[in-house]
């Protein structure tokens, strides 16, 4: 049994979904693990991770529109506004999504479905450098 880990840094340029599938897949292919489990974990409270469709860009546009309606910036409900009107909505978005993902590794590849991609979902408007820990265990 082997394991390996690395930190993937993403320079998010504001609120949107960033497809990180190619970077994750490349790292797994170079890890030499043929069969195992990949764990991804984002070390932030205002960004999250998703597996969703990566074929039709409209899916990402619609997800963002939905979250804009669900947790609008500047909502009077929120008292936590220290870092601006998008701060607390970003925390709500993170609470409703995921901070970690577990994905099987089969035949040296990330076992995603045909239209699946791995996304960093940035919830703040300003640019930020985000860290995603990648850990694989297997043989």
């Amino acid at each position: 049994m082997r394991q390996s880990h690395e930190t993937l840094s993403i320079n998010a340029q504001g609120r949107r979904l960033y497809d990180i599938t190619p970077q994750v897949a490349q790292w797994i292919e170079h890890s030499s693990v043929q069969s195992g489990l990949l764990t991804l974990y984002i070390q932030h409270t205002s960004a999250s991770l998703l597996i969703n469709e990566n074929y039709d860009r409209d899916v990402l546009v619609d997800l963002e529109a939905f979250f804009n309606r669900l947790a609008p910036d500047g909502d009077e409900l929120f008292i936590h506004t220290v870092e601006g009107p998008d701060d607390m909505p970003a925390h709500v978005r993170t609470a409703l999504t995921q901070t970690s993902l577990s994905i099987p590794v089969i035949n040296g590849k990330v076992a995603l479905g045909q239209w699946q991609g791995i996304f960093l979902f940035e919830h703040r408007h300003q640019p930020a450098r985000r860290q995603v820990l990648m850990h694989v265990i297997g043989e």
Side-chain angles (χ1 to χ4, degrees), residues 11 29 39 83 109 124 133:
N11 290 318
E29 288 174 14
T39 301
E83 296 178 51
K109 298 190 181 307
R124 300 296 306 271
L133 295 181

Side-chain angles (χ1 to χ4, degrees), residues 93-107:
R93 288 164 170 242
T94 298
L96 295 173
T97 52
Q98 301 169 22
T99 55
S100 67
L101 300 171
S102 297
I103 307 167
V105 174
I106 300 172
N107 296 324

Side-chain angles (χ1 to χ4, degrees), residues 19 26 30 41 49 60 71 75-76 89 96 102-103 105-106 115 119 126 137-138:
D19 189 346
Q26 181 180 21
H30 289 100
Y41 176 75
L49 298 171
L60 306 181
D75 191 317
E76 293 180 11
L96 295 173
S102 297
I103 307 167
V105 174
I106 300 172
W115 306 117
F119 296 89
Q126 68 269 18
I137 187 166

Side-chain angles (χ1 to χ4, degrees), residues 51-133:
I51 293 178
N52 217 300
E53 182 175 324
N54 68 352
Y55 178 74
D56 185 349
R57 179 95 177 114
D58 288 347
V59 171
L60 306 181
V61 171
D62 289 345
L63 278 171
E64 183 56 40
F66 175 78
F67 275 95
N68 283 338
R69 184 183 307 169
L70 190 64
D73 293 339
D75 191 317
E76 293 180 11
L77 172 70
F78 303 133
I79 60 172
H80 176 71
T81 59
V82 173
E83 296 178 51
D86 68 339
D87 189 21
M88 191 59 211
H91 295 304
V92 170
R93 288 164 170 242
T94 298
L96 295 173
T97 52
Q98 301 169 22
T99 55
S100 67
L101 300 171
S102 297
I103 307 167
V105 174
I106 300 172
N107 296 324
K109 298 190 181 307
V110 180
L112 293 171
Q114 181 177 5
W115 306 117
Q116 288 183 321
I118 305 165
F119 296 89
L120 180 144
F121 196 177
E122 175 58 55
H123 303 306
R124 300 296 306 271
H125 288 293
Q126 68 269 18
R129 186 173 185 89
R130 300 302 191 176
Q131 309 296 319
V132 177
L133 295 181

